[in-house]
Amino acid sequence: VQLQASGGGLVQTGGSLTLSCAASGTIFSINVMGWYRQAPGKQRELVAEITSGSSTNYADFVKGRFTISRDNAKNTVYVQMNSLKPEDTAVYYCNALLKRTYDDYVQRYWGQGTLVTVSS
């Protein structure tokens, strides 16, 4: 299983970016897909996550600014990030809780990370 993230880059304060992450390989089902981020010197933290039924959970610091969505047919998760702030600068990692086969355990997989830099 591989998670391929894309869409990071440099943006000015107040700007927008959309990140995407596609899961590929042997996948039976994906329970939850989400995004975490890690800024320099800080711990990795949850940004947003979405279940297969489209229930969402957002960190307080992104509520009202970020929107997570998912295309189950494509095993892809997106996060639309608006009103970006310098403190949103971080490496963003996608994440999936999935089963590879019917009788597999649910396991967590990580993407490689994509850098988002918000200039002031």
Side-chain angles (χ1 to χ4, degrees):
V1 175
Q2 290 188 329
L3 274 64
Q4 183 68 45
S6 61
L10 174 64
V11 64
Q12 292 184 333
T13 297
S16 299
L17 279 176
T18 299
L19 306 182
S20 63
C21 175
S24 63
T26 301
I27 298 171
F28 174 75
S29 64
I30 304 178
N31 294 9
V32 181
M33 300 189 81
W35 291 92
Y36 286 67
R37 71 184 188 186
Q38 187 166 19
K42 295 188 177 182
Q43 291 187 332
R44 191 172 298 188
E45 58 185 358
L46 173 69
V47 173
E49 58 188 358
I50 183 168
T51 70
S52 57
S54 298
S55 296
T56 58
N57 178 40
Y58 292 92
D60 287 342
F61 54 77
V62 303
K63 284 182 179 177
R65 299 189 298 127
F66 291 12
T67 302
I68 191 169
S69 61
R70 175 173 171 171
D71 185 335
N72 290 329
K74 295 181 179 180
N75 290 336
T76 300
V77 62
Y78 308 91
V79 60
Q80 171 71 42
M81 307 185 294
N82 298 325
S83 303
L84 283 163
K85 307 174 182 179
E87 51 263 45
D88 293 318
T89 295
V91 177
Y92 284 71
Y93 297 91
C94 63
N95 171 278
L97 290 171
L98 62 86
K99 296 175 65 174
R100 292 172 298 170
T101 61
Y102 173 79
D103 57 353
D104 192 14
Y105 295 103
V106 175
Q107 299 182 68
R108 185 182 297 275
Y109 291 84
W110 292 95
Q112 83 284 9
T114 184
L115 178 62
V116 172
T117 303
V118 184
S119 63
S120 57

